[in-house]
Amino acid sequence: MKKLSSAEVKRQNKKRILRYMIRRDTATKPEIAAALQLSLPTVGLIVGELLEAGLLCEIGMQASNGGRPAIALQLIENARLSLGIDITKNHVYFVVVNLRGEIIAGERQEYEFANLLTYYHGLVQRKREFLKKYGIENDSLVGQSCSMPGIVSKNQRWLEYSHIFELKTPMRLNISKDIQYPYMFVNDGTACCMAECYSENMPDSFVYVMLSNTVGGSMVIDKKIVEGKNIRGGEIGHICLVPGGKKCYCGRRGHFDAYCSARVLAEQAGGRVETFFARLEEGDSRLAEVFDEYLDMLALMVYNLHIFTDLDIVIGGYVGSYLAPYLSQLKEKIIRHNIFDESKEFVFLSRYREEAAAVGGALHFIEQFIEKL
Ligand SMILES: [Zn+2]
């Protein structure tokens, strides 16, 4: 194995100390040294740099394990922030997360997509107003992510196509000309998956299923999202479950999206998923039937994904956030398909709601910031 240079060792230790402080409320230098098995002079040197960079602060004295009181250190959690924007057909979400990955500002605004300059100008204006409203300075931003339902090019500057946006030819994405910090455009399913990747206690490999107004997904292997040859990896919405079945928005028939997008449920309840689940809970028998069919198709898909990958399946997106009371019902349906007798759980729900894509994209830049320290 290649030996790391002393500069690289120091860089790695700096990241470890910052990550340690991100997980802690306060800590003293001796505590950091003991927890990370580093020498006190090493910790002292790196903490000095983190204080100077404005990432940590001293907040007084703290008794430490019978020894002399030591200076307590704390993360300045809002010292660096990241902005996530999620564009959907009818809405735009703005989210700002801090170094701990906490959402410190978030808003969902009605704003119908149009591939017009006026739309982009309006979006930039809304972004500025949002940042101003929450007192967020451009200087504190380490990045901006912009997610959307479509295929984004590898260089993250073109939207290759999007059925939802009725975009058949590639469109150059220019909406971030005004920004000075790193930015990226990303597929919404991938961005949602990023939110899972950066969450604590997630396995290194899993499959993510996003059940929103469109259905998307991603496969994560050893903490890396599998992009595929054409950056289209994870387009599970267009896996055919029923040849010749219901029409998908892409024009083909029988695709998973046609059976399990949020729209399938919303259409039954005045266009609102929350109304669907409220009525379902009240005991609406017609909706119970619709939902049973929905779960049948979801179970089939989850089983197919699991039997192919032998990985955990994480279900998120708009519908995913309502599934907790129905998880055992879904699991029963999956078991009926399974050729193996599996005692271990492999189906989990995402902890995020509709803000997932915006949060995931924003977390990406927090992670990048820490990695590049
Ligand atoms: Zn399709």
Side-chain angles (χ1 to χ4, degrees), residues 237-238 248-250 252 255:
H238 305 290
C248 178
Y249 69 86
C250 71
R252 306 286 173 99
H255 291 180

Side-chain angles (χ1 to χ4, degrees), residues 13 16 38 48 52 55 159 174 179 215 258 267 321 341 364:
N13 286 334
R16 289 176 67 209
L38 296 170
E52 204 171 311
L55 296 170
L159 185 60
N174 282 325
I179 60 175
V215 173
E267 276 165 12
S321 65
D341 191 10
H364 171 78

Side-chain angles (χ1 to χ4, degrees), residues 112-130:
E112 195 178 344
F113 177 84
N115 187 17
L116 297 169
L117 262 184
T118 47
Y119 173 85
Y120 300 117
H121 288 158
L123 187 66
V124 171
Q125 190 55 31
R126 280 165 186 261
K127 181 187 94 172
R128 286 195 190 126
E129 281 163 14
F130 168 77

